[in-house]
Amino acid sequence: MSGDPFTDALHGDAGILDGVDVAPPIHVSSTYDRADQDDLVYRRNQHVTTQRLEAVLSALEGGSAVVYPSGMAAVSSLMRYLRPARVYLPADVYHGTRAFVTDQHQPWEVAASLDDLQAGDVAWLETPSNPKCLVTDIAAACAELGPKGVRVVVDSTFATPVLQQPLSLGADYVMHSSTKYIGGHSDAMGGVIVAADGNRASELEAARVIDGTIPGSLDVWLTLRGVRTLPLRILHQSETASAIAVHLEGKVPLVWYPGLASHPDFEVAGRQMRTGGAIVSFELDSHEAAAAAATRFKVFRRATSLGGVESLVEHRASVNPLAPPGLLRLSVGLEAVEDLIADVDQALA
Ligand code: PLP
């Protein structure tokens, strides 16, 4: 482990059954011959490509990673493992996380504010948040909540381990939808929980064996292939996103990008994040104006999800009724910045 994401993304899994292959093979066997070894028994218990991906993600976040078949599987597995009495959720949180946590059949209560939390409860922070890119001060939240025995989880999907490292700021767990930037190519689903305490990760892994929430071979292989270039992608995509956010300012009523001085969390984002990230949300005057503009993009594809190499645009209120009606979310990819800005301009003209 080097501590530098460029090296760790490539070598965090060194030594795990690598043999002479430079590129990891795809292991598909569901069971293993016991004749000469005892380490590998059955794929639901152990899988080499999964172990390699977990080693890379552990190195990148500075903790112990456990991977799941989707971001939501990671959310639900962690919540069932933590079994809190109360959970706090920020107002602007991924709508799937809200749907899971607030589901009437769940055993926990939803806390109205962080102040209502007590020992054993969970503060679920999502920073930057989806879709407004609101930034929570992780170090300040952990300094207040940690001594009370509140467990702090950070959904860091928008930031990736390259832009921020919540465990180093005091969080107990960091979560990602690896479907997004970590995989990076819109071709694999996955989720990850990285625990600060290795014993917690071992317990999560043991729970995963009996829950059966293991990811498929191809998805973990594609995610492992994708994560190799994560540092390069997210830094370049952030640079383009920042240029688009600057370009949009003054042209539309509201731009939500934490790298802009006009964003309410600009100062904390500057302290906590390496860049403002690669998501730019902005608001038009109405639901109708935003829904119509979304259909006019030519380079940005009109699709949900984010974090891939190709740029996407989404009218969020069409899928999440709690999103501001005029909000469009741009997931900025790797296309030339001039082409993306020209596309935004023609779509808004
Ligand atoms: N967390 C955030 C911030 C997300 O944006 C998403 C998906 O969009 C998820 C969690 C859920 O991840 P998945 O779609 O991989 O289940």
Side-chain angles (χ1 to χ4, degrees):
M1 210 169 85
S2 108
D4 186 306
F6 277 91
T7 304
D8 286 338
L10 290 162
H11 298 294
D13 56 333
I16 303 181
L17 207 78
D18 42 7
V20 294
D21 286 309
V22 171
I26 308 177
H27 293 267
V28 294
S29 190
S30 58
T31 190
Y32 306 102
D33 192 321
R34 307 294 301 282
D36 298 323
Q37 58 84 37
D38 272 329
D39 293 344
L40 296 171
V41 177
Y42 185 52
R43 172 136 52 96
R44 181 153 48 75
N45 301 56
Q46 310 94 359
H47 177 240
V48 172
T49 320
T50 303
Q51 288 167 348
R52 294 183 75 138
L53 177 59
E54 287 175 343
V56 171
L57 296 173
S58 299
L60 288 173
E61 285 289 6
S64 302
V66 184
V67 297
Y68 295 90
S70 67
M72 285 312 301
V75 172
S76 58
S77 299
L78 181 60
M79 289 301 298
R80 291 203 182 97
Y81 168 72
L82 294 174
R83 297 213 149 267
R86 276 162 298 269
V87 183
Y88 168 80
L89 284 181
D92 192 51
V93 68
Y94 173 60
H95 66 101
T97 304
R98 176 176 300 287
F100 175 76
V101 171
T102 59
D103 185 274
Q104 57 172 332
H105 301 297
Q106 301 301 356
W108 44 77
E109 273 173 41
V110 178
S113 83
L114 282 171
D115 295 337
D116 293 341
L117 298 178
Q118 296 163 25
D121 290 344
V122 166
W124 188 279
L125 310 180
E126 182 180 294
T127 180
S129 66
N130 186 356
K132 287 194 203 162
C133 300
L134 299 179
V135 177
T136 304
D137 188 332
I138 300 171
C142 293
E144 197 184 316
L145 297 166
K148 288 193 201 166
V150 173
R151 277 93 50 94
V152 178
V153 182
V154 176
D155 181 339
S156 195
T157 299
F158 274 32
T160 84
V162 179
L163 304 189
Q164 86 190 0
Q165 293 190 300
L167 302 183
S168 72
L169 301 172
D172 299 294
Y173 300 91
V174 54
M175 175 260 149
H176 294 273
S177 163
S178 58
T179 313
K180 317 301 183 196
Y181 293 103
I182 289 176
H185 294 74
S186 308
D187 56 8
M189 291 211 73
V192 59
I193 300 295
V194 191
D197 178 342
N199 293 326
R200 304 276 179 222
S202 303
E203 286 176 6
L204 281 166
E205 214 179 306
R208 184 180 60 181
V209 174
I210 51 173
D211 286 348
T213 44
I214 46 134
S217 308
L218 182 60
D219 282 292
V220 286
W221 184 85
L222 284 166
T223 308
L224 181 61
R225 182 187 166 120
V227 77
R228 305 296 194 197
T229 54
L230 170 67
L232 200 59
R233 285 186 282 107
I234 188 68
L235 292 175
H236 190 78
Q237 288 169 242
S238 298
E239 211 175 296
T240 308
S242 171
I244 293 173
V246 168
H247 180 78
L248 278 169
E249 209 168 31
K251 291 193 172 63
V252 295
L254 201 50
V255 182
W256 296 102
Y257 184 70
L260 286 182
S262 58
H263 189 281
D265 303 322
F266 173 71
E267 188 267 331
V268 59
R271 262 189 287 126
Q272 184 166 285
M273 297 174 67
R274 186 161 163 178
T275 72
I279 302 292
V280 182
S281 290
F282 62 96
E283 293 189 33
L284 300 181
D285 287 328
S286 67
H287 186 286
E288 294 68 32
T295 65
R296 293 196 291 265
F297 285 82
K298 295 193 168 80
V299 181
F300 284 82
R301 306 282 303 269
R302 182 158 62 98
T304 196
S305 202
L306 56 102
V309 289
E310 60 292 295
S311 293
L312 303 179
V313 58
E314 187 176 39
H315 176 230
R316 279 308 276 175
S318 300
V319 292
N320 172 14
L322 293 179
L327 186 140
L328 288 174
R329 187 186 69 194
L330 302 179
S331 171
V332 176
L334 284 173
E335 300 90 342
V337 61
E338 298 79 11
D339 291 333
L340 294 178
I341 288 179
D343 196 33
V344 168
D345 283 348
Q346 69 76 27
L348 299 182

